[in-house]
Structure formats: C-alpha cells, structure tokens
Amino acid sequence: MGAYILRRVALMIPTLIGIMAISFAIVQFAPGGPVERVIAQLTGTDVGATARVSGGGGDFAGAKPGGAGGSDVSSKYRGAQGLDPEFIKKLEKQFGFDKPPLERFLGMMRNYAVFDLGESYFRSISVGRLVAEKLPVSMSLGLWMLLISYGVSIPLGVAKAVADGERFDVWTSAAIIVGYAIPGFLFGILLIVLFAGGSFWNLFPLRGLTSEGWTQMSWGARILDYLWHMVLPITAMALAAFATTTLLTKNSFLDEIRKQYVVTARMKGLSENRVLYGHVFRNAMLLVIAGFPGAFVHAFFGGSLLIETIFSLDGLGLLGFESVVNRDYPVVFGTLWVFSLMGLLLNLVSDLTYTWVDPRIDFEARET
C-alpha cells in the first residue's frame, strides 16, 4: 500500500500543473482583465463590479489624459484611449502583465509549490489570509451539511431497502423526489419568508454566523447561538443532498441483498441485523464512499454561493464569485490550487477507505 500511495502522490503533481495550466490559458483569452477593470473604474464605465479598487488608489488617481492615447499600449485595452500610456504601463507592471504569459505562469507555480498564494489585486491582503478569513463560514456550512445529510440519508436508505415496495418506501421516495426538485436557494427564500420574519414567524436570525455580543456570551450560550444561526442555511443546503445519498444507499443495499452470500447467511441462521450490518453494509457502502470526495468538495466550496448570498454569509463561495467578476486572478488561481489539491487528496483518502471497508480490495495488485 505504501508504494501505491507514493505513486498517487507523485501523479498529483502533473495533475495539478495540468489543471492550473488549462485554467491559466483560458484566462488569457477571456475578455477583460484587471487592467481593464481599473480603467473602467477610472473612466466611470464599470457597472458590474462587486468590489472597489483598494490599495494603490493613489497610483490610479495619477491617470492623466495624454496626447499619445492612441499608441499601441493604450489601444490594447478597451476604454484606454485618452489615458497616459505611461500610466497603462505602470498598471501592467503592477499586475505583472509586463511579463510574457509563460514567465508569469512559471513564477506562479514556483510560488504555489511553497504555498505562497500571492496577494489580491484589489483587497490589499494576501490570498492565504483572505481564504483563512472566509474558510470558517464555508467549513460550517459544508461540515454540518455532510454530517446531517450522511447521518440521515444512510439509515434512511437502509430502511427503504429493507422495506422496498412497502408504504414507507413509497411515501419517503415521493418526499425525497419533491425535495430534490426544489432548488436550495428557492427553499432558502421560503424558509426566510416563513421563519425569519419575512411574513410569518420570526424564529431564526436572517444573517451571519453569530449574534452581536457573541464574544461576551458564555460558552454554552455561544454554542446555542451558533446553532441557532445555522438552522436555516443548513436546512436549505442539505435538502437536495438527502435525495442523492438516500437513493444511492437504497439501491446499493438492494443489489447486495439479492446476492447469494446473503441468502447463505440467512440460511445459516444469522439474525437480520447481523446480515445487514455485518455483511451487506460493508459491501453496499463502497458506492457511497466513492461519491464522498466529490460531495465533500462540493459542500465546502461549490454549492454555497447562493445560500451565502441569501443568508448574508461571507464565505468562500461568495469570495470565488466576486473574484471572477472582478478579475482578481491571484484569488481565483490561489483558491483553485487549494481546492484542486484538496480534491486530489480526498480521492486518495477515498481509495484508502475502500481497503478499510473491504480488505479484499488491493490497488497494488491491480496495477501489477
């Protein structure tokens, strides 16, 4: 197993480089950029940005119309006509665009190799610190969603498999499908209308992870206040996750229950619980485990943008969206590097969990 782990870790390096290279190349052909973003703000034509330019504002204020505004330097950028070409060159140097793309990419990868994620273009803060500030919100949403969805979906899927075709199975399937069909953000709005002072009851807070004065509360009051704030966003996020995991668990159990070794175990007189949880559960969970890395990454970093917006939670989902809109490339690439690395590591953990659940699986033997 040690050799297999080393091979997987070694393969992560070219995989990460490939992900970053493709993303970097796409960005080179994308319209707009940080230079054009600043130019649009200076000329008053920026109407779609979500953040203000900060840090270096004094440099930007030095833009002057120049007689050479029609030069090659200015004409490269939309809306730059009439601005001093020297100012445009200064912007290019500030953002690193005075260097060839290959040199910029290699420099970025050298920094990422030592986990130096650079500094945001428009926030005057390092990307690592920015991610660390937003991470608690996304971790809260993602961790609770995973725990609740897996904690409820797996037992429910087992119960549905045992009661396949019965009234309990039919009614729960109908409820799950309806819940899956409702978008999480729409359900979140419904929860706000019903329970957050929208039109009916005002039982839960509308924004933030904690209340004002949280630091002055006792530890017990802090925990209760935190959980109180988490109820509505977690409920909105976990609704669709229940359906996928529940039905996957049910179908996996049904496939295993119909196999010959289950019939043999029952004929030997083993109890139903021993058959289900001592034999069937281990094999049926392989498919559920296979989907865990993707579910983990999605829950933490991909599925919370609208929920964060609706419930005013400033997490990684909102950060990623704003960074793309604002062309804040260090944040975009820095978070992509972190998320890709985490996804690859979780895939390795998933494979190792296979061998723990079913010792018959030997990845080294399959490769030889």
Side-chain angles (χ1 to χ4, degrees), residues 198-215:
S199 300
F200 295 90
W201 302 280
N202 189 12
L203 302 179
F204 297 97
L206 182 58
R207 63 184 65 247
L209 287 180
T210 57
S211 302
E212 293 184 7
W214 184 78
T215 55

Side-chain angles (χ1 to χ4, degrees), residues 101-287:
L102 180 59
E103 184 179 347
R104 284 188 279 123
F105 176 75
L106 293 177
M108 182 181 72
M109 296 307 297
R110 282 194 297 268
N111 292 334
Y112 286 178
V114 293
F115 289 93
D116 177 8
L117 303 182
E119 184 169 333
S120 169
Y121 283 158
F122 304 118
R123 297 174 186 259
S124 296
I125 186 175
S126 68
V127 176
R129 183 178 170 188
L130 190 60
V131 171
E133 289 181 356
K134 311 296 184 182
L135 191 59
V137 173
S138 295
M139 285 187 64
S140 295
L141 293 173
L143 185 60
W144 281 113
M145 196 198 83
L146 280 177
L147 291 176
I148 293 174
S149 63
Y150 273 76
V152 173
S153 297
I154 291 177
L156 180 59
V158 174
K160 286 173 62 61
V162 173
D164 183 39
E166 299 179 6
R167 181 175 298 178
F168 170 79
D169 180 41
V170 173
W171 282 105
T172 53
S173 293
I176 288 172
I177 292 173
V178 170
Y180 183 76
I182 301 175
F185 73 91
L186 186 61
F187 188 61
I189 295 174
L190 176 64
L191 292 176
I192 290 175
V193 171
L194 292 176
F195 302 112
S199 300
F200 295 90
W201 302 280
N202 189 12
L203 302 179
F204 297 97
L206 182 58
R207 63 184 65 247
L209 287 180
T210 57
S211 302
E212 293 184 7
W214 184 78
T215 55
Q216 281 73 45
M217 298 179 183
S218 63
W219 279 106
R222 289 184 184 183
I223 294 173
L224 291 176
D225 181 75
Y226 167 76
L227 294 176
W228 183 45
H229 282 75
M230 282 286 98
V231 170
L232 295 187
I234 293 302
T235 302
M237 284 187 67
L239 184 66
F242 283 122
T244 304
T245 310
T246 300
L247 296 179
L248 180 61
T249 303
K250 175 193 172 182
N251 293 333
S252 297
F253 262 78
L254 285 177
D255 288 342
E256 293 297 323
I257 287 173
R258 294 165 182 161
K259 291 183 177 179
Q260 185 61 41
Y261 76 89
V262 177
V263 177
T264 303
R266 286 171 173 166
M267 290 177 62
K268 289 182 177 180
L270 296 180
S271 65
E272 190 66 16
N273 284 339
R274 180 70 181 278
V275 172
L276 287 177
Y277 297 103
H279 297 278
V280 175
F281 186 84
R282 175 188 296 176
N283 297 325
M285 282 299 97
L286 290 176
L287 284 176

Side-chain angles (χ1 to χ4, degrees), residues 33-109:
V35 175
E36 288 182 325
R37 169 88 164 81
V38 174
I39 292 172
Q41 287 192 336
L42 291 173
T43 57
T45 59
D46 183 18
V47 295
T50 59
R52 294 287 181 260
V53 174
S54 61
D59 294 337
F60 299 151
K64 301 176 182 178
S71 68
D72 292 340
V73 176
S74 300
S75 61
K76 288 195 304 183
Y77 303 102
R78 183 175 52 186
Q81 287 76 11
L83 294 178
D84 188 349
E86 292 302 320
F87 172 73
I88 302 298
K89 290 182 179 180
K90 191 174 182 180
L91 280 181
E92 289 182 330
K93 185 175 181 180
Q94 178 171 336
F95 294 127
F97 286 91
D98 58 329
K99 301 175 183 177
L102 180 59
E103 184 179 347
R104 284 188 279 123
F105 176 75
L106 293 177
M108 182 181 72
M109 296 307 297

